[in-house]
Amino acid sequence: DVDECAGNQHNCGRGELCVNVFGGYRCVRPECPKPRLNTSYVKTSVYQCERNPCPMNNRACRLAANSISFHYLPLQSNRTVPRVLFKMSTTHLVGDSLRFAITGDRGQGIFAVRRSDRHTGELILTSPVAGPATLEVELEMSKLT
């Protein structure tokens, strides 16, 4: 497969990400979540959104994610499983109070999340995937208080 994204052989516009797929590419434009419960986000890069400061005494906002990042991983079909695809960690040492989870119902049965050390979690491919296919999974790393 030719990687059109790496070779700049694509026509993705400004603010779009080029994602290599088998036989071509896709242009994607990740969006920050819509404002909800006095919580809003601002896009700080094509890959990330950061939470705006919370209004005073707003617990729902303080419990919302500080940042949201977007990752696109090309995978070969029929990879051996289980296989670690992605690692996420925090720069703050928070001990055993981190929780890693798959949120929503997308990715169930194909992916799993496990903790690999005190501040790192891993996304694991648990079932072989026949392609071409587009798979989505939403992960959460949260600090328990």
Side-chain angles (χ1 to χ4, degrees), residues 4 30 33 36 39 44 48 56 77 83 93 99-101 103 115 121 131 140:
E4 293 85 359
R36 185 172 174 263
T39 305
T44 54
Q48 191 157 345
M56 203 113 155
S77 295
R83 178 177 296 271
L93 295 177
R99 180 179 77 93
F100 300 93
T103 59
R115 190 179 182 131
E140 178 180 82

Side-chain angles (χ1 to χ4, degrees), residues 19-28 71-77 85 105-108 110-111 125 129-138:
V19 178
N20 187 51
V21 296
F22 183 77
Y25 64 93
R26 285 181 42 209
C27 299
V28 297
H71 302 273
Y72 300 87
L73 306 171
L75 301 173
Q76 294 175 339
S77 295
L85 300 176
D105 58 355
R106 292 190 295 199
Q108 300 292 342
I110 299 172
F111 301 105
L125 181 67
V129 177
T134 300
L135 306 172
E136 292 185 34
V137 63
E138 191 170 317

Side-chain angles (χ1 to χ4, degrees), residues 31-35 39-41 49 68 70:
E31 297 294 334
C32 297
K34 303 285 184 234
T39 305
S40 62
Y41 292 87
C49 297
I68 297 169
F70 306 93

Side-chain angles (χ1 to χ4, degrees), residues 2 14 18 20 23 32 43 66 78 89 102-104 107 112 127 129-130 134:
V2 174
R14 184 180 173 140
C18 180
N20 187 51
C32 297
K43 203 164 206 178
N66 290 325
N78 300 317
S89 63
I102 294 175
T103 59
S127 299
V129 177
T134 300

Side-chain angles (χ1 to χ4, degrees), residues 3-21:
D3 187 347
E4 293 85 359
C5 299
N8 240 356
Q9 302 169 334
H10 61 84
N11 62 353
C12 295
R14 184 180 173 140
E16 290 183 315
L17 289 172
C18 180
V19 178
N20 187 51
V21 296

